[in-house]
Amino acid sequence: MTDPSSDATDFQNLSVTVTGDDRPGVTGTLLGALSGFGAEVLDIQQVVVQGHLTLTVLLRPGDQVEQLRDAAAVAAHRLGLTLTVVAGTGDNPRSRQGRAAVVVLGAPLRADAVSLVTSRIAEHGANIDRIRRLSRYPVTTVEFDISGADVPKLRTELALVATTNGIDVAVAPGGLARRGRRLVVLDVDSTLIQQEVIELLAAHCGREAEVAEVTARAMAGELDFEESLRARVATLAGLPAGALDEVRQAVQLTPGARTLVRTLKRLGFTVGLVSGGFIEIVGSLAEDLDIDHTRANRLEIEDGRLTGRLVGEVVDRAGKARALREFAEQEGLPLSRTVAIGDGANDLDMLDIAGLGVAFNAKPIVQEQAQTSVNVPYLDSVLYLLGISRDEIEQADLDDGTPTQAPPVPHARH
C-alpha cells in the first residue's frame, strides 16, 4: 500500500481549511458537503481559541476535484466561514525525536515571560508542535508540546528563564512517558499541610520560637537534620500525649491538597506521604485522605507523656529517598514513573531520584537543585505539570458531585 504522506502522492491531495466563529455543527456540515465525491480523509485537525475556529481537512479527492471545491465553498458560505483550499499539499511530516512537554505557570503569566520561554525553545533547536491552556485560575498555565528537545539540557536552560522572570517552568519527557500510572510522594510539613507539626507541639511547651528557629535552619540545609530533630524533640519532654489530639485538630491542609490527592486517586495513581515529622499526626492525615503509603518518625510516649525521645530509625534526608524507592518497588513501578514533592533540604535526595522532583514553595537551596519549582500557594497546581487541565479536574468533581469551591487564600508560609 502506498503511504499517502509520501512525495509521490502529494499532487493528489487537497487541504481544505475553514476559519471563523465557532458553533456546533461546523465539522458535520463541512464533511457532509464533501461526501459523495469519493474523497478520502487523510487527516483532520481542529482548534478553537477564544471562540475562533480553525478546521483543516486533508483529502485525497478522487476525480471530482472541481465539484468538491464548489461544494466546500457553498458549505463555507452557509456557515459564514472563510474558506481556503490548497492543492498539491502532502501530509504532515513525521514528528522529530526528543518529544517533551514544557509547562509554564504564572500568576500573572506575562507576555514577555512567555516570549522568553518560546524563544529559548527555538534557540535550543526544538519545535513547538502544539500549545494548550491547562488553567486560567488560580494560576494561568500553558503547556507546549515540543519535539527535537534534549530534555535535561532544555530543563537547565529554562530554569534560568523561570528564576529571572517570576514564573515556574517544568520540562518533562513527552509521548508515553506522559501517560500511565504513577507513584506520587509528598512531604508533609509545609507541603501537604501549612504548618510545621513540631512547632505546634512546641507551642504547648512555650518553646515555639526556639524550635521554629532550629527548624528553619535545618530545612535550609544549615544543620544536620537528625541532630536538629532530636534536639527539638527533647524540648517536648513531659508534654501530655493529649496535646497530639489538639495538634491534629489544628493542622490545616495546604490549599489544593484535597483536590490533588482526590484527582490522583481518580487516575489510579498511588499516593504516599514521607515525613520528617511524626506518624502520630501523619497517620491521621493519611487515613483522612485515603493515602496508600506512609513513612514518618514516631514519638516515644510513657505514662501518657512524651519523653522527648524518638522510637526507631529516624526518617531523614536519606530515609525519605529510601522510602520512595521502597514504595515504588511495592507498586511495581520504576523510579521514572514517580513524582516527589517537597520544600526542605531533607527532601533533596527524594526529589533527585524521582522521575519528576517538584520543589513546592521551597527554600532557595531546594529550588536551586530541584528539577522544577512551583511557587504558587496551591498544591493542586502540581496536576498541571502532569498535563491535567483545570477543566478536567472540575468536570470529574462535577461528575462525582464533589462541590467545587474557589481556592482559599493560604496562610503565610515559612
Side-chain angles (χ1 to χ4, degrees), residues 13 26 48 73 101 108 190 206 217 235 247 270 299 399:
N13 300 342
V26 171
V48 178
S190 292
R217 294 181 63 193
T235 67
V247 168
T270 301
L299 294 164
D399 292 344

Side-chain angles (χ1 to χ4, degrees), residues 117-135:
V117 170
T118 55
S119 295
R120 185 55 60 91
I121 291 172
E123 293 166 3
H124 179 83
N127 185 68
I128 298 173
D129 300 323
R130 187 180 71 151
I131 306 172
R132 65 172 179 144
R133 184 180 67 182
L134 296 178
S135 73

